[in-house]
């Protein structure tokens, strides 16, 4: 028999009850899965909630670190039982809206990669990055459709489209998916493909990152690519208007063997940056030619003949070394990114970009880089069968990125990015590329990647799978 105290409960009693309740709830989840479970304040919690982008400072109510798909099923069912929202994180390269108060499923322990060299496929776990897939595929003369860095997660990248250096030749990574294993918001494990649950398969190939379930494995096609002609030509930053104008006319005339970009880069004055570039600005013509070497060299020679670059790093390259093309950072950093699709690159847009991205003499740049990737080819062709149809069929994809070295400059950096986008408004299509959206902007703008009919179709699929919208931290349909 329990005796009740006559005194009303104090705040301390409430706090104590909350802690005991939380502890028993977490213990219940721990009992259900083989992986780790963390609550706020527990050792391991901070590590499990952090990722590549250090600006993400979310405080999930509970974090599950599943080690297999059964754990994911249990974690998702637990969230349904407890009425918790669900957010997903593999590497933290592309965080959505903050996962405060949600169950965060951190997939980073699910890193299995299996290559089938005969069928030319890779089966990849939810937490695997591109590095092991590229390395193992290259041993068989094959390549996946990774992006600018092997440090990004395969599944998150693919769910958002995935535009890499083989894009114009082979399409987006989402085009190369054969099947997904996914745990739906009610905790059902499904294998979806063109012939099994084709609607869910369609939605996940570029429209469903984080919003209609947890993908536990993906089977992707591999392509016969071993050696490429790739790299960078570095021109002075002052030449940016000239180089960009030339690129705007030159790139659309090139074969689909070439995926290229022009980048105005303000290298930060950090030790990790090679001395030749540290603290300096350059206009870079970069890309990857996935055809015969002689033709690739001839295409790049057009630039060399036009103007000798300050540094010429364009050469024959084993595709295993594809990271050398973009030289992206791998250490976690506080980064901001935004994006626009453009069908043309008129002089006025180039002037806006160059004047806003190049720092005035003696000042620190607020925008780290503006990269304009040339799309079209297989990137645009795949639009007709993809949910993110208008989010991939432009001619040029602009990415603007910044680092926020100190929280005090966060607002200044954010407004520099926003004002640059605002100034470019007359020249953009209005559609966003999902993989270059983060945080609140991902929630606010992701719907713009889909045409009206596709948005309606996605909304119907979402409503059937997640009627309570508990998976609300990824792509949002507006
Ligand atoms: C340095 C750098 C270079 C990049 N280069 C390119 C590039 O060349 N091309 C390109 O297209 N993109 C590029 N990106 C963008 C990148 O593809 C996206 O940020 C992508 O979302 C990262 O996926 P992730 O799993 O690594 O990141 P996370 O932040 O862990 O995940 C991103 C989002 O994907 C969803 N998600 C992740 N895993 C799952 C899952 N298992 N099931 C369901 N949803 C899931 C979640 O909504 C999550 O919020 C780059 C990003 C960075 C930081």
């Amino acid at each position: 028999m329990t005796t009740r105290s006559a005194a009303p409960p104090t705040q301390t009693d409430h706090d104590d009850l909350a802690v005991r309740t939380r502890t028993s709830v977490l213990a219940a989840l721990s009992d259900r899965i083989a992986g780790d479970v963390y609550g706020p304040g527990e050792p391991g919690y901070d590590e499990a909630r952090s990722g590549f982008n250090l600006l993400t400072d979310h405080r999930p109510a509970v974090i599950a670190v599943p080690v297999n798909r059964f754990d994911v099923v249990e974690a998702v069912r637990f969230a349904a039982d407890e009425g918790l929202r669900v957010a997903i994180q593999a590497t933290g390269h592309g965080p959505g809206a903050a996962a405060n108060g949600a169950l965060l499923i951190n997939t980073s322990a699910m890193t299995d990669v299996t290559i089938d060299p005969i069928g030319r496929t890779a089966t990849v776990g939810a937490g695997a990055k591109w590095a092991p897939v590229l390395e193992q595929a290259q041993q068989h003369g094959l390549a996946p459709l990774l992006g600018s860095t092997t440090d990004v997660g395969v599944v998150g990248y693919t769910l958002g489209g995935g535009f890499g250096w083989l894009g114009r030749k082979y399409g987006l990574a989402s085009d190369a998916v054969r099947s997904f294993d996914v745990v739906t918001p009610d905790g059902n494990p499904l294998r979806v493909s063109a012939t099994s649950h084709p609607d869910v398969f369609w939605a996940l190939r570029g429209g469903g990152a984080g919003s209609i379930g947890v993908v536990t494995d993906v089977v992707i096609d591999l392509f016969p690519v071993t050696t490429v002609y790739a790299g960078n030509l570095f021109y002075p930053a002052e030449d940016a208007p000239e180089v960009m104008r030339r690129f705007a006319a030159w790139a659309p005339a090139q074969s689909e063997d070439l995926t290229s970009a022009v980048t105005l880069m303000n290298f930060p004055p950090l030790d990790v940056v090679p001395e030749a570039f540290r603290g300096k600005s350059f206009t870079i013509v970069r890309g990857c030619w996935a055809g015969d070497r002689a033709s690739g060299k001839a295409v790049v020679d057009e630039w060399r003949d036009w103007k000798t670059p300050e540094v010429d790093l364009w050469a024959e390259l084993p595709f295993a070394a594809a990271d050398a093309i973009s030289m992206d950072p791998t250490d976690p950093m506080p980064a901001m990114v935004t994006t626009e699709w453009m069908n043309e690159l008129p002089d006025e847009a180039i002037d806006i970009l160059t004047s806003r991205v190049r720092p005035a003499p003696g000042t620190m740049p607020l925008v780290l880089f503006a990269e304009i990737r040339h799309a079209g080819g297989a990137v645009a062709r795949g639009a007709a069968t993809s949910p993110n149809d208008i989010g991939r069929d432009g001619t040029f994809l602009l990415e603007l990125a910044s680092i926020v070295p100190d929280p005090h400059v966060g607002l200044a950096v954010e407004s520099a990015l926003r004002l640059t986008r605002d100034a470019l408004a007359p020249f953009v299509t209005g559609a966003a590329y999902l993989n270059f959206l983060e945080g609140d902007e991902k929630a606010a703008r992701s719907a713009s990647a889909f045409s009206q009919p596709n948005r309606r179709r996605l909304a119907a699929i979402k409503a059937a799978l997640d009627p309570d919208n508990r998976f609300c931290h990824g792509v949002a349909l507006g």
Side-chain angles (χ1 to χ4, degrees), residues 52 87-97 107 126-127 129 146-149 151-165 172 182 204 208-216 326 328-329 335 371 373 397 399 433-438 442 471 473-475:
F52 177 84
I88 308 148
Q89 178 173 302
T91 70
H93 275 82
T107 62
K129 296 182 178 186
L146 78 164
S148 60
T149 168
D151 198 41
V152 157
V154 173
V155 168
Y157 170 91
T158 302
L159 292 173
F163 182 8
W165 290 120
L172 297 189
V182 59
L204 287 171
S211 66
I212 56 172
V214 185
V215 170
T216 56
S326 292
D328 280 342
E371 178 156 291
R373 298 188 186 187
L397 174 61
E399 179 187 12
Y433 177 57
L434 291 173
N435 271 355
F436 293 158
L437 295 178
E438 287 179 0
K442 190 184 267 189
F471 280 61
H473 295 273
V475 162

Side-chain angles (χ1 to χ4, degrees), residues 419-434:
L419 291 173
T420 307
R421 275 190 53 226
D422 288 352
L424 289 170
F427 311 106
V428 304
T429 70
Y433 177 57
L434 291 173

Side-chain angles (χ1 to χ4, degrees), residues 198-200 202-203 212 456-466:
D199 259 16
V200 181
W202 173 82
I212 56 172
R456 275 199 296 273
R457 186 175 169 193
L458 281 170
I461 295 166
K462 162 87 176 166
L465 291 172
D466 186 19

Side-chain angles (χ1 to χ4, degrees), residues 389-449:
D389 49 355
I390 56 173
R392 59 178 288 177
D393 72 352
T395 307
F396 297 104
L397 174 61
L398 170 68
E399 179 187 12
L400 293 168
S402 291
I403 295 178
V404 184
D406 172 334
H408 293 107
V409 298
L411 275 178
V413 167
E414 197 177 351
S415 72
L417 293 174
R418 188 169 28 79
L419 291 173
T420 307
R421 275 190 53 226
D422 288 352
L424 289 170
F427 311 106
V428 304
T429 70
Y433 177 57
L434 291 173
N435 271 355
F436 293 158
L437 295 178
E438 287 179 0
D440 292 341
E441 195 187 1
K442 190 184 267 189
R445 288 186 67 208
S446 45
S448 73

